[in-house]
Amino acid sequence: MKTYTPKLITVLREGYSASTFRGDAIAGLTVAIVALPLAMALGIASGASPDKGLVTAVIAGFLISALGGSRVQVGGPTGAFVVVIFNVIAKHGYDGLLVATLLAGLILIAAGVFRFGQMIKFIPHPVVTGFTAGIAVIIASSQVKDFLGLSIAKVPAEFVPKWQAYFAAMSSTNWATLGVGAGALAIIIVLRKFAPKLPGFLIAVVVSAVAVALLKLPVDTIGSRFPNIPAGLPMPSFPEISLAKINAVLPSAFTIAFLAGIEALLSAVVADGMTGTRHRSNQELIGQGIANIGSALFGGLPATGAIARTATNIRSGAKTPVAGILHAVFLLLFVLFATDLMAFVPMAALAAILFMVAWGMSEYERFITLLRMPNSDRAVLLLTFGLTVLVDLTVAIGVGVTLASLLFMARMAEAVEVDSSGRQDTDLDSEDVHQRDTLPKGVEVFRITGPFFFGVAGELLDTLRRVGQSPKVIILRMRLVPLLDASGVQALEEFIEQAHITGAKVVLSGVQAQPQSMLERVHLGASSGKVFYAADFANAQSLALGLLESPKPLLH
């Protein structure tokens, strides 16, 4: 079945040229350069070692690209797993993590087989943003010791005690370590601003390592922290499995599977928006599951699709899954022939990299936008964020989704109106099954019926992708939308942005008061200049005709 066919097979059946291979090879090398220091940093931050991160990037990165449902997805260790991995290793040891990763892989495969790939749309956007921002805060907090060179025998795992320990040990700051970390951070920020195409992470690591070696600075390095890093890939083997261990790590396995599925499918959706393609969500889950099993057999960490690396892959010219496969091959060459170089990398430089990873994960602009939403969305966001930081990621997601569902039902009850006047909806009067027959060429129309909330928001972008030739004007009929939540707003934002990329203008017809208020909160109101408004379908048709004839956007 096509649903369960890896994109790699589809691409090869379509034909694969030498020019496509050149583009994929350049993209693969570029992503490998980005992934190299990142994999080491994430391996250490997770409570493991740098070689574990590299093994994960090689094995899981290869399998995700080879067997996944996206053309350009790049996989490997990601920041989302850091908190979970650290806690599993602390409670159950590294063998416990391997068992949890194996189980998570099986759960992901089952999710793909039973077509749970579309379930991501039922995770409200404030929940996703809340726990992602919470993870970012935890990651950044975990790197303070290495960035400042503090003398702390054992850093507490909990957030508040951790910071209490930091403040208590602040007088032990190693100024050489702080200088190296600050220098690496400055290099990354400057290059990202003025030369974004250069591999800032790798340059910062190399410069820092050279400076420490030449100046003989008294700072911790990977070599001093991990003196016996093995070279090459380990032989695959099964971890020791028992029923007691399975019962102990099963909750963590579900958390890993959930995070892997969410991030992989989010990354695939982002890739679709950048490339205009469409991923196979169920096959993507199966590919992620096999990749996690493979990573565990080689002693690696949990893995998933990485949004930043996938975006880098696309911007570097990747066209097919071969780019992701080559990224894993290039990393393998480093693991086989240059592992000794890792010993010179300062821990403070890796802390600087993880600070930037945390900053990227925080989605601070989206977080601030959601704070402007109604109290219900704001409450879900802040509660999920607070529980992630102070309690537990699993609890945060469960409570966040439950609260969002309850608040949605409450808002729907408020949105229901009983009309005894007997009047007819003028927008419905003007619509029939032949609504497109009266449209001029180049205009497309969609009608949204019912509340536009987190459960259906993803359908809008899917509908746009199913349209063959890109229209010049798109009319969205929203008279029958009584409620728009934060996830619906984001879907509309992405829809409008994607339409603009293709050169299409968007007209919103018959928008009710609540959706209008929500759109104005994110600067998509009538005066924004980003979207056009019409009172009803007849006016929307006239406006669309004017937009077709006008060489410039109309003022409204």
Side-chain angles (χ1 to χ4, degrees):
M1 294 174 61
K2 186 176 180 181
T3 304
Y4 296 112
T5 302
K7 280 288 186 176
L8 177 63
I9 294 177
T10 301
V11 167
L12 296 179
R13 285 174 178 171
E14 292 172 352
Y16 191 76
S17 65
S19 60
T20 304
F21 177 78
R22 284 194 296 272
D24 284 342
I26 292 172
L29 179 59
T30 303
V31 178
I33 291 172
V34 172
L36 177 61
L38 194 55
M40 293 190 294
L42 290 170
I44 295 171
S46 299
S49 56
D51 59 299
K52 302 299 186 187
L54 288 172
V55 167
T56 308
V58 171
I59 302 299
F62 179 90
L63 293 173
I64 286 171
S65 294
L67 301 176
S70 172
R71 285 178 178 262
V72 288
Q73 180 90 280
V74 174
T78 69
F81 289 125
V82 166
V83 180
V84 179
I85 296 173
F86 191 92
N87 290 336
V88 173
I89 294 176
K91 293 179 181 178
H92 308 290
Y94 199 79
D95 278 350
L97 175 67
L98 296 180
V99 174
T101 306
L102 274 173
L103 293 174
L106 294 174
I107 294 169
L108 285 166
I109 292 174
V113 170
F114 290 105
R115 298 176 181 271
F116 285 176
Q118 296 299 320
M119 292 299 289
I120 184 178
K121 66 185 180 184
F122 293 106
I123 307 299
H125 186 60
V127 174
V128 175
T129 302
F131 79 69
T132 302
I135 291 171
V137 169
I138 294 173
I139 291 174
S141 297
S142 70
Q143 298 306 303
V144 172
K145 174 182 179 292
D146 285 337
F147 191 79
L148 299 178
L150 301 179
S151 296
I152 304 177
K154 183 174 177 58
V155 179
E158 294 78 14
F159 182 78
V160 174
K162 186 192 302 285
W163 277 97
Q164 289 175 338
Y166 287 156
F167 285 118
M170 202 60 70
S171 59
S172 65
T173 299
N174 182 321
W175 295 104
T177 299
L178 176 58
V180 171
L185 190 61
I187 290 172
I188 296 170
I189 294 173
V190 170
L191 289 178
R192 183 165 292 189
K193 182 174 180 61
F194 297 105
K197 292 185 177 181
L198 294 178
F201 287 169
L202 186 63
I203 292 174
V205 164
V206 171
V207 171
S208 301
V210 170
V212 168
L214 291 179
L215 299 176
K216 294 182 171 51
L217 298 177
V219 304
D220 274 354
T221 63
I222 289 180
S224 64
R225 185 76 60 86
F226 305 95
N228 300 311
I229 297 176
L233 290 179
M235 293 298 293
S237 62
F238 273 95
E240 184 179 338
I241 300 176
S242 66
L243 185 59
K245 184 168 288 187
I246 290 175
N247 289 334
V249 303
L250 191 57
S252 298
F254 274 103
T255 302
I256 291 170
F258 177 82
L259 288 176
I262 287 289
E263 189 163 1
L265 294 178
L266 282 175
S267 179
V269 169
V270 171
D272 288 350
M274 295 177 69
T275 62
T277 58
R278 192 178 182 194
H279 73 282
R280 295 168 185 156
S281 57
N282 295 309
Q283 179 58 39
E284 185 63 30
L285 290 179
I286 292 174
Q288 297 288 335
I290 296 172
N292 275 277
I293 292 173
S295 179
L297 294 179
F298 280 86
L301 308 172
T304 184
I307 296 176
R309 275 162 275 174
T310 297
T312 300
N313 192 39
I314 295 168
R315 295 191 190 103
S316 302
K319 301 296 182 186
T320 77
V322 174
I325 291 173
L326 291 175
H327 129 271
V329 171
F330 288 127
L331 287 175
L332 175 61
L333 293 176
F334 176 85
V335 170
L336 293 176
F337 303 111
T339 306
D340 291 343
L341 296 177
M342 284 193 292
F344 298 98
V345 176
M347 298 298 297
L350 295 182
I353 290 174
L354 288 169
F355 279 154
M356 295 304 298
V357 170
W359 179 252
M361 285 185 65
S362 69
E363 292 190 293
Y364 68 96
E365 292 179 344
R366 177 62 56 184
F367 195 96
I368 293 171
T369 297
L370 285 172
L371 288 176
R372 295 198 294 265
M373 292 290 144
N375 289 336
S376 55
D377 290 313
R378 189 158 57 240
V380 172
L381 171 74
L382 294 176
L383 182 62
T384 306
F385 173 77
L387 289 174
T388 300
V389 173
L390 299 175
V391 183
D392 179 75
L393 182 62
T394 308
V395 173
I397 294 171
V399 173
V401 171
T402 302
L403 180 61
S405 301
L406 292 173
L407 291 173
F408 166 72
M409 288 187 283
R411 282 185 292 182
M412 278 307 300
E414 294 173 357
V416 172
E417 297 180 2
V418 179
D419 188 351
S420 60
S421 66
R423 67 177 177 83
Q424 293 180 316
D425 193 309
T426 56
D427 201 47
L428 280 177
D429 291 342
S430 65
E431 173 174 352
D432 55 31
V433 294
H434 306 295
Q435 66 172 352
R436 289 182 174 81
D437 292 350
T438 59
L439 294 176
K441 185 178 180 181
V443 178
E444 184 58 81
V445 58
F446 303 113
R447 180 162 66 94
I448 306 174
T449 303
F452 197 49
F453 70 110
F454 58 83
V456 297
E459 296 295 330
L460 188 59
L461 283 172
D462 288 342
T463 300
L464 179 60
R465 294 188 192 101
R466 285 194 290 268
V467 176
Q469 187 174 359
S470 298
K472 295 181 180 178
V473 180
I474 301 172
I475 299 174
L476 290 182
R477 305 187 64 177
M478 299 181 62
R479 173 78 68 185
L480 302 180
V481 179
L483 175 70
L484 185 67
D485 74 352
S487 297
V489 169
Q490 189 199 16
L492 276 175
E493 282 186 282
E494 292 177 2
F495 180 92
I496 292 167
E497 182 178 350
Q498 190 63 35
H500 287 172
I501 291 174
T502 63
K505 299 165 186 173
V506 178
V507 177
L508 304 182
S509 167
V511 183
Q512 294 191 37
Q514 193 273 349
Q516 176 86 43
S517 173
M518 291 290 286
L519 290 168
E520 287 175 352
R521 292 172 188 262
V522 294
H523 309 296
L524 284 177
S527 61
S528 67
K530 299 177 181 178
V531 65
F532 299 83
Y533 280 77
D536 52 37
F537 187 43
N539 284 325
Q541 288 176 294
S542 300
L543 180 57
L545 185 61
L547 290 171
L548 285 175
E549 297 172 351
S550 174
K552 297 181 180 179
L554 298 179
L555 296 177
H556 49 284

